[in-house]
């Protein structure tokens, strides 16, 4: 075991999918037999990658706030700046590595029968995408981070543009242009920091304590990239198009992992490296988060397309992520990460549910369904569980994250907490209305009545997602406790370097109930 731990595990889990790509490219022949062999190669490559990620998680020290499994080597020199190949994970990033590896086998199973053209190329695009996603969450060098951050664009552009629906070209270009324009400013910021610091090492940047005027424009440069990727209102408009036109697998990866890159970037870079500027723009972020939660929930209420409705719900959920992160509190940041982890499971499951319906009736129009529970009871049960989790029902994965995010918001801005609470009501309205229209009511459409319940492959896809949804809801500490030390270190650093206001209250244990005398509320800085 000790010998295994001495291996460069992060490099292995990062680039193992490319081994599968190499095997697929060398695979001789064409036709159905070759496609079937290619599917097995891609699926078992993704299983091997997930096993390595699970091994890393099993040996991850959840009590430590520091970086673990660190690997470092010289990569290249740009002028006087030495670029590093540096990798490492902490409690913030380890779950996203595991989540990326977890989703891929499910994606290959979901696409097994639905993708019929250019099968090998589709599998290669998915494996390259997996490499880029894991690489971004493990990168500790800004150039390496940027390469992987931008590296997801090309395979995702191809997945939407080649294997998507009738409007796939327009959707693919919109996705590509939005995300690329946002990332250009991040590249400028990275280059400026590297020249100023004579290093590209992210850990050195985190301790640099840039002057206030530097932090302000660096913050906006990173904001442009992370806001588009999250996506935040009003730069979210590319997301519904991309989801509607993407194949089911593309929507699962897009919602499950790619959207988390923005939230991860806000916490890792904006809050950790630029605390003063992050504090200064807290209200700005709250306004955008509130608009995302309320406005996109209202838009979701009037959607007639299954995918569009879930896409807009994703934008609303990402509003809780940015709101929680910019509270600068332990509760808010833990809530932000828990919302992202829950959304990875639940939104992926919901898009897979849409894929099941579309494979049978070849339409995403909500009005074309009704009474599905009568002939697909097992599918209806899975869909009910994921719907409940999406609205944050207790004992499901969505409950703890939203509760913590709103608790963090309540500590710093009660109006923001109230808006978030309104979003919970609206979320319940559009998700329950969607469920009622699709699954309940009379079964009076002949083609809907002929729809068959789940196949064994679909059971294999939904069962692990359902187990995780319940596990995360019943025992959230298993997931939350691993992230807590790393997030606490970020919160402490943020509160030390941000201006001291009532928003910088330290994390405290809940006060005991008063017995004889009421507990005296501690005075804030402003009251002094």
């Amino acid at each position: 075991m000790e010998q295994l731990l001495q291996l460069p595990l992060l490099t292995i889990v990062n680039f193992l999918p490319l081994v599968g790509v190499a095997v697929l490219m060398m695979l001789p022949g064409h036709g159905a037999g070759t496609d079937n062999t290619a599917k097995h190669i891609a699926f078992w490559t993704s299983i091997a990658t997930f096993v390595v990620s699970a091994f890393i998680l099993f040996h991850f020290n959840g009590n430590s706030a520091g970086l673990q499994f660190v690997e470092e080597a010289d990569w290249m020199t740009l002028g006087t700046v030495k670029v590093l190949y540096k990798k490492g994970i902490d409690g913030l990033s380890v779950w996203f590595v595991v989540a990326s590896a977890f989703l891929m086998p499910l994606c290959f199973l979901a696409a097994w029968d639905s993708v019929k053209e250019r099968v090998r190329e589709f599998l290669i695009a998915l494996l390259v995408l997996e490499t880029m996603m894991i690489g971004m969450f493990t990168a500790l060098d800004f150039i390496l981070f940027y390469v992987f951050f931008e590296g997801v664009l090309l395979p995702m552009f191809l997945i939407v543009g080649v294997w998507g629906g009738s409007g796939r070209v327009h959707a693919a270009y919109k996705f590509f242009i939005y995300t690329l324009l946002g990332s250009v400013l991040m590249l400028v910021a990275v280059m400026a920091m590297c020249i100023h610091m004579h290093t590209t090492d992210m850990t050195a940047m985190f301790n640099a304590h840039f002057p206030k005027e530097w932090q302000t424009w660096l913050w906006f440069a990173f904001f442009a990239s992370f806001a588009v990727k999250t996506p935040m209102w009003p730069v979210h408009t590319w997301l519904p198009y991309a989801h509607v036109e993407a194949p089911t697998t593309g929507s699962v990866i897009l919602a499950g992992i790619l959207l988390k890159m923005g939230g991860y970037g806000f916490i890792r870079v904006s809050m950790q490296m630029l605390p003063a500027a992050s504090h200064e723009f807290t209200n700005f972020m709250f306004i955008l988060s509130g608009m995302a939660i309320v406005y996109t929930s209202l838009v979701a209420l009037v959607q007639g397309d299954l995918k569009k409705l879930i896409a807009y719900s994703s934008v609303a959920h990402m509003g809780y992520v940015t709101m929680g992160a910019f509270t600068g509190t332990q509760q808010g940041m833990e809530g932000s990460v828990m919302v992202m982890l829950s959304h990875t499971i639940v939104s992926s499951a919901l898009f897979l549910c849409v894929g099941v319906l579309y494979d049978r009736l070849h339409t995403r129009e909500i009005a074309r369904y009704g009474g599905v529970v009568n002939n697909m009871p097992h599918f209806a049960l899975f869909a009910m569980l994921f719907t409940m989790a999406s609205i944050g029902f207790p004992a499901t994965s969505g409950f703890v994250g939203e509760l913590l995010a709103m608790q963090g918001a309540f500590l710093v801005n009660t109006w923001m907490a109230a808006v978030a609470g309104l979003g919970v009501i609206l979320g319940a309205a559009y998700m329950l209305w969607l469920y009622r229209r699709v699954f309940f009511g009379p079964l009076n459409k002949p083609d809907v009545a002929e729809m068959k319940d789940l196949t064994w492959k679909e059971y294999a896809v939904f069962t692990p997602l359902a187990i995780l949804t319940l596990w995360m809801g019943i025992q959230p500490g298993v997931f939350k406790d691993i992230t807590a030390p790393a997030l606490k270190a970020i919160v402490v650093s943020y509160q030390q370097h941000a201006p001291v206001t009532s928003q910088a209250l330290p994390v405290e244990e809940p006060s005991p109930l008063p017995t004889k005398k009421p507990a005296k509320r501690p005075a804030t800085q402003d009251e002094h």
Side-chain angles (χ1 to χ4, degrees):
M1 190 63 68
E2 290 298 325
Q3 292 177 335
L4 289 177
L5 291 173
Q6 298 303 316
L7 294 173
L9 291 172
L10 294 184
T11 296
I12 292 172
V13 75
N14 192 172
F15 295 105
L16 191 55
L18 292 186
V19 176
V21 170
V23 176
L24 288 175
M25 293 180 73
M26 292 186 291
L27 194 65
H30 298 280
T34 305
D35 288 345
N36 195 50
T37 304
K39 291 173 185 174
H40 279 92
I41 292 171
F43 175 73
W44 287 109
T45 301
S46 65
I47 288 288
T49 306
F50 174 65
V51 169
V52 177
S53 71
F55 181 82
I56 292 172
L57 176 64
F58 185 75
H59 290 90
F60 184 84
N61 181 4
N63 297 318
S64 171
L67 294 164
Q68 301 176 40
F69 298 94
V70 175
E71 303 166 17
E72 183 173 348
D74 292 342
W75 180 16
M76 60 181 173
T77 302
L78 296 176
T80 59
V81 180
K82 184 182 290 184
V83 182
L84 302 173
Y85 173 81
K86 187 172 182 179
K87 287 181 162 295
I89 53 174
D90 61 2
L92 174 59
S93 52
V94 64
W95 279 121
F96 293 108
V97 174
V98 176
S100 303
F102 169 77
L103 275 185
M104 294 310 294
L106 303 183
C107 289
F108 286 120
L109 275 180
W112 201 278
D113 297 321
S114 58
V115 176
K116 303 182 185 303
E117 296 181 356
R118 299 182 179 180
V119 173
R120 195 187 321 190
E121 290 83 351
F122 180 77
L123 300 173
I124 289 174
L126 281 182
L127 289 172
V128 172
L129 192 57
E130 183 178 17
T131 295
M132 297 300 164
M133 294 186 300
I134 295 176
M136 197 222 73
F137 290 121
T138 58
L140 291 179
D141 181 278
F142 261 117
I143 298 297
L144 198 63
F145 177 86
Y146 184 80
V147 168
F148 286 122
F149 192 85
E150 290 306 292
V152 300
L153 288 184
L154 186 57
M156 197 65 213
F157 172 79
L158 293 175
I159 288 171
V160 176
V162 176
W163 292 276
S166 57
R168 59 186 181 274
V169 175
H170 173 70
Y173 275 108
K174 191 166 186 176
F175 159 75
F176 191 86
I177 291 172
Y178 265 64
T179 49
L180 183 65
L181 288 178
S183 300
V184 167
L185 290 176
M186 184 171 81
L187 179 61
V188 173
V190 168
M191 296 307 297
M193 289 191 306
C194 295
I195 293 172
H196 178 71
M197 293 289 296
H198 301 288
T199 181
T200 56
D201 189 342
M202 290 177 76
T203 53
M205 299 285 190
F206 293 154
N207 299 317
H209 308 315
F210 291 99
K212 179 68 180 299
E213 57 274 16
W214 269 71
Q215 288 202 26
T216 299
W217 76 263
L218 286 174
W219 191 92
F220 270 109
F222 282 105
F223 166 81
S225 182
F226 298 150
V228 172
K229 196 79 85 180
T230 300
M232 295 188 73
W233 181 89
V235 290
H236 67 285
T237 56
W238 62 270
L239 184 69
Y241 283 99
H243 270 307
V244 166
E245 299 301 334
T248 298
T249 306
S251 294
V252 170
I253 295 296
L254 190 59
I257 302 299
L258 261 60
L259 301 190
K260 311 304 179 301
M261 291 181 169
Y264 174 81
F266 275 127
I267 297 175
R268 174 68 78 202
V269 178
S270 302
M271 298 299 290
Q272 188 169 6
M273 191 177 73
L274 308 168
S278 294
H279 178 268
E280 184 176 344
F281 295 110
T282 293
N283 289 333
F284 172 68
M285 291 298 294
F286 280 172
I287 291 171
L288 296 187
S289 301
M291 288 297 295
I293 292 170
V294 176
Y295 172 74
T296 55
S297 294
L298 293 173
V299 174
L301 274 170
V302 298
Q303 293 304 309
D305 184 291
L306 286 163
K307 269 194 170 181
K308 270 193 176 180
L309 190 153
I310 299 173
Y312 279 110
S313 78
S314 292
V315 179
H317 281 103
M318 290 303 103
Y320 288 93
V321 171
T322 51
M323 177 194 75
F326 277 84
T327 61
T329 65
Q330 179 84 11
Q331 297 89 337
M333 285 205 188
E334 287 182 2
S336 175
V337 174
M338 290 293 283
V339 169
M340 284 194 278
L341 293 177
S342 172
H343 187 261
T344 293
I345 301 167
V346 176
S347 68
S348 301
L350 289 172
F351 278 114
L352 288 167
C353 287
V354 175
V356 168
L357 294 171
Y358 186 81
D359 286 344
R360 284 157 175 75
L361 214 58
H362 302 291
T363 179
R364 295 187 303 270
E365 188 182 355
I366 297 173
R368 285 284 292 113
Y369 295 93
V372 174
V373 68
N374 293 287
N375 51 334
M376 301 181 73
H378 294 171
F379 175 56
L381 186 62
F382 277 117
M384 172 62 81
L385 173 63
F386 301 134
T387 300
M388 291 295 104
S390 178
I391 64 179
F393 194 76
T396 64
S397 60
F399 175 69
V400 175
E402 289 187 3
L403 186 67
L404 283 170
M406 286 195 288
Q407 186 182 8
F410 184 78
L411 288 173
V412 299
N413 189 316
T414 51
W415 282 107
M416 187 65 241
V419 171
L422 176 62
V424 172
I425 297 170
L426 292 173
Y430 64 71
M431 288 305 298
L432 291 177
W433 193 34
L434 169 67
Y435 192 87
R436 187 192 68 78
R437 285 184 290 172
V438 173
F439 289 95
F440 292 150
L443 184 59
N444 53 14
K445 299 181 177 69
D447 49 359
V448 176
E450 293 178 359
M451 291 167 60
K452 304 295 183 186
D453 213 339
L454 300 176
T455 65
W456 71 266
K457 286 180 184 173
E458 290 164 342
Y459 277 114
V461 170
F462 286 123
T463 300
L465 291 168
I467 292 172
L468 275 177
T469 300
L470 291 172
W471 187 16
M472 198 171 169
I474 296 170
Q475 288 189 309
V478 174
F479 301 83
K480 187 172 73 66
D481 292 349
I482 290 181
T483 65
L487 293 177
K488 186 174 184 180
I490 294 174
V491 170
V492 170
S493 174
Y494 170 81
Q495 294 186 352
Q496 284 177 343
H497 297 99
V500 178
T501 68
S502 58
Q503 296 185 8
L505 288 171
V507 179
E508 296 179 350
E509 294 294 328
S511 301
L513 292 173
T515 53
K516 296 180 179 179
K517 296 180 178 179
K520 184 178 181 181
R521 182 174 64 86
T524 64
Q525 185 69 20
D526 291 337
E527 288 173 334
H528 285 300

